[in-house]
Amino acid sequence: QVQMVESGGGLVQAGGSLRLSCAASGLTFSRYIMGWFRQAPGKEREFVAAITKSGSTTYYADSVKGRFAISRDNAKNTLYLQMNSLKPEDTAVYYCAADWGATISIQSRRYDYWGQGTQVTVSS
């Protein structure tokens, strides 16, 4: 059974930093492209960042480029999202997701497995 558990969310002031983690089990982690998505209240889920299976290539939404960094540790079956210079508009539930596909996609429907999400709240 595949399980993906996010952690590291919380309340932070604007300009602050958080590091999210996603621990995966029940799948061969290194065979999946991994991504982060987020969903704010009343809005659709949106792509944040993704990383290839080896970790050699990353891709970011324009809204987080230069502030967020995605990484992975295949030996630990763990995905990370370092979030710096946080803004109130970054407030959302953040989800990690796994995609069996061959190339990075920003479409949530491409992803096969999802975590339960972790809340990030940025105060102004």
Side-chain angles (χ1 to χ4, degrees), residues 1 3 6 15 28 38 45 50 60 72 79 89 92 97 101 103 108 111 122 124:
Q1 181 178 357
Q3 283 194 318
E6 300 96 336
T28 306
R38 66 187 182 185
R45 190 169 298 189
Y60 298 92
R72 65 190 296 162
L79 177 72
E89 51 263 45
T103 58
S108 60
Y111 288 75
V122 184
S124 57

Side-chain angles (χ1 to χ4, degrees), residues 17-70:
S17 298
L18 283 174
R19 189 193 195 202
L20 305 184
S21 298
C22 170
S25 61
L27 76 170
T28 306
F29 183 74
S30 61
R31 293 184 180 178
Y32 286 81
I33 288 170
M34 298 298 297
W36 287 98
F37 288 76
R38 66 187 182 185
Q39 188 166 18
K43 295 188 176 181
E44 292 188 354
R45 190 169 298 189
E46 65 173 358
F47 172 81
V48 174
I51 188 167
T52 53
K53 301 171 188 181
S54 67
S56 60
T57 302
T58 57
Y59 187 77
Y60 298 92
D62 287 343
S63 59
V64 307
K65 201 172 294 183
R67 299 188 298 121
F68 290 11
I70 187 172

